[in-house]
Amino acid sequence: MSLTADVKAELITVRDPRPTARVAELTSLLRFSGGLHSIANRVAVEAEVDSDVLARRTARDLMEIYGVRPELVHVQGSGGRGGSHYAVRVIEGGETLARQTGLLDQRRRPVRGLPNKLTTGNRGDLAAIWRGAFLAAGALSEPGRSAALEITCPSSEAAMALVGAAHRLGIPAKAREVRGVPRVVVREGEGIRSTLAAMGARKAAEEWDQMRQRREVRAGVNRLVNFDDANLRRSAQAAVAACARVERAMEILGDEIPAHLRQAGDLRLAHRDASLDELGHHADPPLTKDAVAGRIRRLLAMADKKAEAEGIPGTESAVPAGVED
C-alpha cells in the first residue's frame, strides 16, 4: 500500500470514545469529502470516500450518533479522482443532519468553513477534526525534499479553519491554493511526524520518521562521496597543471636554474600525484611543504619573467586545455 493508504488504514482503527471527538471527526469527514447536495429539492448530506471500510464506518457512526440510516453507493471517481469510490448518502432527514453537524446554519445557509463549536474545542476534538479531514481528503508523500502531508479542501474557509486547528495543536500547517484548489500543507519533516502522531497514526508516524532518517543518512553519505570525488578531481587537475608548468619552466630556463629550485622542480615531476607535504618528505634533506611551495613558485616566476623578456610562451601555455590551474 501507499503511505497515504497506510495512514488511513491506521486512522480508521482509531476510536476516541468521547462524544465531542466523535462528532468532530465525523463532521470534518463529511465537510472534506463532499458535504451538502440538493437532491429533488431536498438537502442531502453525502460523503465520498476511497474505501469500503471507511464508508461502512462512516455509515455506522451516522447511525450511532444521529440515528439516521444512510445508503452506501459504489461510484466511479469524478473530476481528478480516479478509480472506485464509495458514497455515503443521507437524503431522508438530510437537512436535520446538516443542522446537527453544523454544516447548515440556523438560516439554512451552508457553512463554508467548519462549525465554530468544533474549532474552539479541546485538543482531542482538534485532533479529531484533522483525523476526519485526512481520512476524507488527505495525502502523504515519501520523505525527501518535496515531502508533504496535504489535505485538499472544499473551500478557502475550510482550509483556514483547518490551519487554525493545526496551530492550536502546534502543527506548522499552511494554506495555499494549487490550480484554484485550496489545500492545507505540512512540509517540515518533524511537523509531518507530529501531525501523524496527533491524528492518532502513531505507527505511521514512527515508520515515516525512520524512513526520513534513513533517507537523510543516505543523502549525507552521497554528499560526502560527491564532495570527495570533487576534491579528488580538483587535486588531480591541479597536479597535472603544476607538472605541466614546471616542465615548461625547466625548458625555458635550461641550465640557468638554481640548484635548490631545480631540486623542487625535479621532485614535482618525479612524484606527480604527491602532495606538497609528501614532496617535502622526499627531499634530502627534508623540507616543509611551505618551503617546497615557495621554491616551485620562484621557479615558475623566474621562467615566466624570462619568457616575457624573450617574447616566448610562458609556463601557463603548457597547461592542457580544460585543466584548471
Side-chain angles (χ1 to χ4, degrees), residues 148 150 159 174-178 181-185 187:
E150 185 174 271
K174 294 182 179 180
R176 64 190 185 101
E177 197 169 283
V178 180
V181 179
R183 300 176 190 271
V184 172
V185 182
R187 288 202 176 278

Side-chain angles (χ1 to χ4, degrees), residues 158-322:
M160 293 309 299
L162 199 59
V163 168
H167 289 173
R168 291 188 60 197
L169 288 169
I171 296 171
K174 294 182 179 180
R176 64 190 185 101
E177 197 169 283
V178 180
R179 293 186 290 275
V181 179
R183 300 176 190 271
V184 172
V185 182
V186 180
R187 288 202 176 278
E188 190 267 325
E190 180 58 28
I192 292 175
R193 187 204 63 76
S194 62
T195 303
L196 292 171
M199 292 190 297
R202 300 191 180 279
K203 180 181 177 182
E206 183 178 345
E207 291 177 350
W208 194 91
D209 199 43
Q210 290 175 353
M211 290 174 61
R212 176 172 66 97
Q213 291 176 10
R214 286 196 297 268
R215 184 179 288 267
E216 288 177 352
V217 169
R218 286 198 300 269
V221 170
N222 289 337
R223 281 195 297 271
L224 289 175
V225 169
N226 292 336
F227 179 76
D228 288 343
D229 287 347
N231 278 346
L232 288 172
R233 186 165 55 252
R234 284 194 293 269
S235 296
Q237 289 183 341
V240 169
C243 290
R245 292 190 66 190
V246 168
E247 285 180 333
R248 177 60 181 160
M250 297 180 81
E251 287 177 7
I252 294 171
L253 295 173
D255 295 334
E256 300 176 18
I257 307 175
H260 66 295
L261 300 187
R262 180 179 292 279
Q263 179 193 28
D266 288 340
L267 283 172
R268 177 74 282 174
L269 297 179
H271 307 282
R272 292 175 177 264
D273 296 327
S275 66
L276 291 173
D277 191 48
E278 291 169 338
L279 290 181
H281 285 91
H282 287 300
D284 185 20
L287 300 171
T288 65
K289 66 177 182 180
D290 291 335
V292 174
R295 292 184 182 187
I296 291 177
R297 278 198 304 271
R298 288 195 293 276
L299 172 64
L300 298 178
M302 182 182 294
D304 285 333
K305 184 176 181 180
K306 181 178 180 181
E308 184 178 0
E310 296 181 358
I312 60 176
T315 60
E316 292 282 359
S317 65
V319 178

Side-chain angles (χ1 to χ4, degrees), residues 2-324:
S2 67
L3 286 177
T4 300
D6 289 340
V7 174
K8 289 187 177 182
E10 184 175 358
L11 290 180
I12 289 174
T13 66
V14 176
R15 304 292 288 177
D16 190 328
R18 295 177 305 108
T20 56
R22 294 186 67 189
V23 168
E25 180 182 328
L26 182 58
T27 301
S28 180
L29 188 148
L30 293 174
R31 186 72 186 91
F32 284 84
S33 63
L36 302 178
H37 299 276
S38 179
I39 300 177
N41 293 322
R42 290 191 296 176
V43 174
V45 177
E46 178 177 297
E48 188 174 321
V49 296
D50 52 16
S51 79
D52 60 336
V53 176
L54 180 56
R56 289 197 301 270
R57 197 192 104 162
T58 302
R60 185 172 65 250
D61 287 344
L62 285 168
M63 287 188 287
E64 292 177 357
I65 299 173
Y66 297 107
V68 296
R69 290 189 172 276
E71 59 177 289
L72 299 181
V73 182
H74 186 196
V75 297
Q76 291 296 320
S78 59
R81 304 180 69 178
S84 296
H85 292 80
Y86 301 83
V88 183
R89 293 174 183 160
V90 177
I91 301 176
E92 188 68 35
E95 182 171 339
T96 300
L97 175 63
R99 288 178 181 275
Q100 290 174 323
T101 55
L103 298 179
L104 273 182
D105 65 16
Q106 296 302 316
R107 298 182 181 180
R108 300 184 74 248
R109 296 176 303 187
V111 175
R112 291 184 54 80
L114 284 170
N116 187 60
K117 63 181 180 181
L118 297 185
T119 56
T120 56
N122 58 37
R123 289 182 62 86
D125 296 345
L126 297 174
I129 289 174
W130 264 80
R131 187 162 55 248
F134 191 91
L135 284 169
L140 175 65
S141 61
E142 291 192 357
R145 294 181 64 181
S146 59
L149 186 152
E150 185 174 271
I151 295 176
T152 303
C153 303
S155 66
S156 57
E157 291 87 349
M160 293 309 299
L162 199 59
V163 168
H167 289 173
R168 291 188 60 197
L169 288 169
I171 296 171
K174 294 182 179 180
R176 64 190 185 101
E177 197 169 283
V178 180
R179 293 186 290 275
V181 179
R183 300 176 190 271
V184 172
V185 182
V186 180
R187 288 202 176 278
E188 190 267 325
E190 180 58 28
I192 292 175
R193 187 204 63 76
S194 62
T195 303
L196 292 171
M199 292 190 297
R202 300 191 180 279
K203 180 181 177 182
E206 183 178 345
E207 291 177 350
W208 194 91
D209 199 43
Q210 290 175 353
M211 290 174 61
R212 176 172 66 97
Q213 291 176 10
R214 286 196 297 268
R215 184 179 288 267
E216 288 177 352
V217 169
R218 286 198 300 269
V221 170
N222 289 337
R223 281 195 297 271
L224 289 175
V225 169
N226 292 336
F227 179 76
D228 288 343
D229 287 347
N231 278 346
L232 288 172
R233 186 165 55 252
R234 284 194 293 269
S235 296
Q237 289 183 341
V240 169
C243 290
R245 292 190 66 190
V246 168
E247 285 180 333
R248 177 60 181 160
M250 297 180 81
E251 287 177 7
I252 294 171
L253 295 173
D255 295 334
E256 300 176 18
I257 307 175
H260 66 295
L261 300 187
R262 180 179 292 279
Q263 179 193 28
D266 288 340
L267 283 172
R268 177 74 282 174
L269 297 179
H271 307 282
R272 292 175 177 264
D273 296 327
S275 66
L276 291 173
D277 191 48
E278 291 169 338
L279 290 181
H281 285 91
H282 287 300
D284 185 20
L287 300 171
T288 65
K289 66 177 182 180
D290 291 335
V292 174
R295 292 184 182 187
I296 291 177
R297 278 198 304 271
R298 288 195 293 276
L299 172 64
L300 298 178
M302 182 182 294
D304 285 333
K305 184 176 181 180
K306 181 178 180 181
E308 184 178 0
E310 296 181 358
I312 60 176
T315 60
E316 292 282 359
S317 65
V319 178
V323 174
E324 297 180 3

